[in-house]
């Protein structure tokens, strides 16, 4: 288990200190888990694995062009980000909030399918909002930034 934890952390590109900050687990405990001096519980392993997944803004940075292409495949355009990822305050528990413009023939099922495909692509939870029904002064429209 210790080698697996270290390998997972390194694959995620995180130092022990960064993982400690994201997970809320003290860095000496992470070091003890990785060295085999302590055995983490199943709940702790889950907590650490959750903290190792990319932050939503990191996943977006890695897959920005692919996300826009995916959106176009589903009849969606003008992809923007709002919420914590758009503000740079996202955490390992955050999702990626996406605002899109839908073509007239795109329905709710297609939007749901896009959200699912986006989650698979990015590896983080995704919420999709369409801009068509939002009033011009809506906070989401005011805070959304281009993806």
């Amino acid at each position: 288990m210790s080698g697996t934890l270290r390998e997972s952390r390194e694959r995620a590109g995180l130092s022990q200190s960064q993982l400690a900050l994201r997970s809320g687990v003290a860095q000496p405990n992470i070091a003890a888990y990785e060295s085999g001096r302590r055995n983490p519980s199943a709940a702790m392993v889950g907590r650490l694995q959750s903290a190792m997944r990319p932050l939503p803004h990191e996943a977006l940075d890695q897959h920005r062009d692919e996300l826009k292409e995916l959106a176009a495949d589903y009849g969606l355009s003008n992809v923007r980000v709002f919420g914590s990822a758009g503000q740079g305050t996202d955490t390992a528990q955050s999702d990626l909030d996406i605002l899109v413009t839908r073509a007239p023939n795109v329905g709710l099922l297609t939007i749901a399918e896009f959200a699912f495909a986006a989650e698979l692509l990015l590896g983080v939870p995704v919420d999709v909002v369409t801009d068509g029904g939002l009033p011009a002064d809506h906070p989401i429209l005011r805070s959304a930034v281009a993806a």
Side-chain angles (χ1 to χ4, degrees), residues 70 74 76 107-120 128:
L70 183 66
Y74 283 88
L76 305 170
L108 185 57
L109 184 57
T110 301
I111 294 166
E113 290 171 349
F114 165 70
F116 180 74
E119 286 185 6
L120 291 177
V128 179

Side-chain angles (χ1 to χ4, degrees), residues 16 19-21 23-33 44 47-48:
Q16 287 182 354
L19 180 56
L21 183 64
S23 66
V25 176
Q27 182 274 327
N29 289 343
I30 293 171
Y33 297 145
M44 180 58 68
R47 181 175 173 180
L48 293 171

Side-chain angles (χ1 to χ4, degrees), residues 2-14 49 52:
S2 60
T4 303
L5 180 58
R6 173 177 282 139
E7 291 167 9
S8 295
R9 177 183 56 77
E10 289 174 348
R11 260 195 319 276
L14 298 173
Q49 287 175 334
M52 283 186 257

Side-chain angles (χ1 to χ4, degrees), residues 67 71 76-77 79-80 82 95-102 106 108 110-119 122 125-131 140:
L67 181 64
L76 305 170
S77 61
V79 180
R80 291 152 286 168
F82 66 97
D95 61 1
L96 182 64
D97 298 306
I98 300 174
L99 178 66
V100 296
T101 302
R102 67 178 183 88
V106 172
L108 185 57
T110 301
I111 294 166
E113 290 171 349
F114 165 70
F116 180 74
E119 286 185 6
L122 299 170
V126 173
D127 279 337
V128 179
V129 175
T130 60
D131 57 10
I140 290 175

